[in-house]
Amino acid sequence: MAGIGFELRRILKRDSFTGLLGAYGLAGVISSGPWVLSVLGVMLIGIVSFNLAVAGSDVVQFLVSVTYLMAVSLTLSGLFQHVFTRWVADRLYEQNRGRILPNLMGVIWMSTLLALAVGLPAVLLLFPGTSNLYKLLMLANFVVLCNLWPVTIFLSSMKSYRRIVVIFALGYATAITASLLFARFGLKGLLAGLLLGHSLLFFSFFYTIIRQYPGDELIRFDFTRRRQIFPTLIFTGLLFNAAVWADKFIFWFHPDTSQPIIGALRASVIYDLPIFLAYLAIIPGMAVFLVRMETDFSEAYDRFYNAVRDGDTLARISGFRNDMVLVARNGIYEICKVQGLTVIILFLWGEQLLAAIGISTLYLPLFYIDLVAVSIQLILLAIQNVLFYLDARGINVSLCVLFFATNILFTFTTIELGAAFYGYGYAGATLVSALAGLALLSRKFDRLEYETFMLQGR
């Protein structure tokens, strides 16, 4: 959406080092906020809880419980993620802002009912021997997270950026502080603190959306009308999130790589820590990704399609198309440079980093391959974002299917090959998908003028 792009361009126009830091800092918070910062907050709660003499079993059960909550809620909310984002963008283009808030209420109602339909049977069937309070807290956290993720899609369109940063800070500070205050109640206290923090985030963001997108009606379901949505976007959101978590679930439930933790929930000690630490390393790359996509590429995209709509000369249209290709190539290249530098630094200091946070250096080999894997996933995300700009929905859903299938196939293969190959399945899946994405994106750009002029009525 355009809101964040306008603000980033305004900051960058200051042409100063502080302006540059401000732009990338804002982009890092907005792009990483939805779940990377959640991982960081949960890890901080776990680390501090250990130091506060909370029972080790309670902390482990808390971390595993929250990991499942995030995995399932992100995958489930993927049903709304892309399709509703596109629906909102179309309504903004039509200058029909009054329909956005009522339909967001519709999404929240549907998300809540879906979360209850999935979560209620799960807590009743998967947690034998646990207290009713634990089950209630798990269900409440699940419902809040399923509603929080769709709300965060508005972050890039909001103009109250300082408010967004403050809300993120207050939300995670509240989650950490409340969890530590309630830590004396063990697992249930930690879950209650997290619920308080995420609830504050949800209601604060929802209040900000109400201020920016006022509506005259309480609830509408226009986003479910077939003529106003693109079904492929439903599958894109669902499959991409499922693909990201596929290798984790395989490791969690494969008998050779996991152990039971609480109820039916299992965890893989050898696999989980390195992969979640590696995800924190993509924050610099995510910042570059958002800045380049929402400033340089967005401007090049607008120049090309404005020239097409205004009936400009073919030579100028071809020139704008070449500019757009160059900007996309340079943007992906810059993401590679920044993320590559981040990976090199962590390769050099990885042993000291793990030692500083109390993790055995035996995890280093897996941590290294996970760093490479999540970095390639970031490149895949950048490629898919360009394809979304070009409205290549079919290509995007095909890439998600490829990512999902290869991650499952390669992960099972590497588990059979032995511990030395753990992580290579996920890395191989991201690499194959990213290379396929680059090839398909190149072909899309080659055919862009033909498809723009000859396939408009299709």
Side-chain angles (χ1 to χ4, degrees):
M1 296 180 184
I4 183 66
F6 293 140
E7 177 67 10
L8 291 175
R9 284 191 285 271
R10 185 186 68 79
I11 296 174
L12 289 171
K13 282 180 181 178
R14 299 173 187 169
D15 197 23
S16 65
F17 182 68
T18 55
L20 188 66
L21 284 179
Y24 280 100
L26 173 62
V29 171
I30 298 299
S31 60
S32 304
W35 77 278
V36 174
L37 294 180
S38 298
V39 172
L40 179 60
V42 170
M43 290 182 67
L44 285 174
I45 292 172
I47 292 171
V48 177
S49 296
F50 271 122
N51 294 329
L52 291 179
V54 178
S57 59
D58 284 343
V59 176
V60 171
Q61 289 175 353
F62 166 74
L63 294 175
V64 171
S65 298
V66 175
T67 300
Y68 276 85
L69 287 172
M70 290 189 174
V72 181
S73 64
L74 278 166
T75 303
L76 203 61
S77 63
L79 290 167
F80 306 103
Q81 181 182 354
H82 294 307
V83 70
F84 190 62
T85 301
R86 175 60 186 266
W87 185 90
V88 170
D90 289 343
R91 302 294 79 75
L92 290 175
Y93 181 77
E94 295 171 353
Q95 301 294 317
N96 194 359
R97 298 168 65 92
R99 290 290 175 91
I100 292 176
L101 182 60
N103 278 276
L104 176 61
M105 286 295 298
V107 169
I108 290 173
W109 274 104
M110 287 187 65
S111 179
T112 299
L113 292 175
L114 187 59
L116 289 172
V118 173
L120 192 57
V123 297
L124 294 176
L125 298 175
L126 300 181
F127 301 109
T130 60
S131 68
N132 290 331
L133 181 56
Y134 171 77
K135 295 174 183 177
L136 181 62
L137 287 169
M138 286 290 286
L139 182 61
N141 271 287
F142 183 61
V143 172
V144 169
L145 284 173
C146 283
N147 287 320
L148 178 61
W149 306 135
V151 166
T152 58
I153 67 175
F154 284 87
L155 297 187
S156 62
S157 69
M158 293 181 187
K159 297 179 181 179
S160 307
Y161 302 106
R162 289 185 179 87
R163 181 191 296 271
I164 291 171
V165 174
V166 170
I167 290 173
F168 267 124
L170 286 177
Y172 289 112
T174 300
I176 294 171
T177 303
S179 294
L180 298 182
L181 289 175
F182 299 153
R184 64 180 182 274
F185 299 108
L187 170 61
K188 293 178 280 292
L190 296 175
L191 285 172
L194 189 69
L195 175 62
L196 186 61
H198 280 150
S199 298
L200 177 62
L201 272 179
F202 170 72
F203 288 110
S204 298
F205 282 136
F206 190 60
Y207 173 72
T208 303
I209 293 169
I210 292 174
R211 286 168 55 95
Q212 188 157 332
Y213 298 103
D216 298 328
E217 300 175 81
L218 176 62
I219 188 169
R220 292 182 66 95
F221 295 92
D222 297 324
F223 64 93
T224 62
R225 295 179 181 176
R226 177 62 184 87
R227 290 181 298 175
Q228 294 191 16
I229 63 171
F230 301 94
T232 51
L233 295 177
I234 298 175
F235 296 106
T236 301
L238 177 65
L239 285 170
F240 183 82
N241 285 302
V244 168
W245 289 97
D247 57 305
K248 289 80 172 170
F249 274 98
I250 291 171
F251 270 88
W252 292 341
F253 288 97
H254 196 286
D256 295 338
T257 59
S258 66
Q259 52 279 324
I261 301 297
I262 181 170
L265 304 188
R266 302 174 65 89
S268 176
V269 176
I270 192 173
Y271 194 74
D272 291 349
L273 279 175
I275 189 68
F276 290 122
L277 281 175
Y279 270 118
L280 299 179
I282 67 172
I283 294 178
M286 289 289 287
V288 174
F289 160 72
L290 187 62
V291 169
R292 290 300 156 218
M293 289 299 106
E294 293 295 341
T295 56
D296 298 344
F297 185 78
S298 178
E299 290 178 342
Y301 172 89
D302 287 339
R303 284 195 298 268
F304 173 77
Y305 282 101
N306 285 338
V308 171
R309 285 191 293 267
D310 295 341
D312 214 331
T313 65
L314 182 60
R316 282 176 58 83
I317 290 174
S318 296
F320 289 138
R321 175 259 179 199
N322 293 335
D323 290 343
M324 186 164 57
V325 174
L326 181 63
V327 169
R329 183 187 299 122
N330 289 341
I332 294 173
Y333 177 56
E334 187 164 340
I335 293 170
C336 291
K337 286 194 300 183
V338 171
Q339 198 57 38
L341 179 61
T342 304
V343 169
I344 290 172
I345 292 173
L346 289 173
F347 266 50
L348 294 174
W349 295 94
E351 185 173 351
Q352 291 85 341
L353 174 65
L354 294 186
I357 58 179
I359 297 176
S360 171
T361 54
L362 293 175
Y363 286 106
L364 267 178
L366 184 53
F367 178 58
Y368 289 155
I369 189 61
D370 285 340
L371 280 174
V372 174
V374 298
S375 299
I376 300 174
Q377 182 187 319
L378 179 59
I379 296 170
L380 173 62
L381 189 63
I383 294 167
Q384 288 195 285
N385 196 72
V386 175
L387 289 168
F388 276 127
Y389 265 99
L390 302 178
D391 206 24
R393 301 184 301 275
I395 296 176
N396 261 332
V397 76
S398 299
L399 288 175
C400 291
V401 171
L402 177 64
F403 185 21
F404 181 62
T406 53
N407 199 10
I408 293 174
L409 176 63
F410 293 171
T411 299
F412 274 119
T413 302
T414 54
I415 289 177
E416 294 303 317
L417 290 173
F421 293 90
Y422 291 173
Y424 283 89
Y426 175 53
T430 58
L431 180 60
V432 168
S433 302
L435 291 176
L438 283 173
L440 292 170
L441 177 60
S442 178
R443 184 173 181 271
K444 180 69 176 179
F445 273 130
D446 289 340
R447 293 170 51 86
L448 186 60
E449 288 151 311
Y450 167 76
E451 292 181 358
T452 300
F453 288 102
M454 303 303 295
L455 305 180
Q456 293 184 69
R458 295 182 60 181

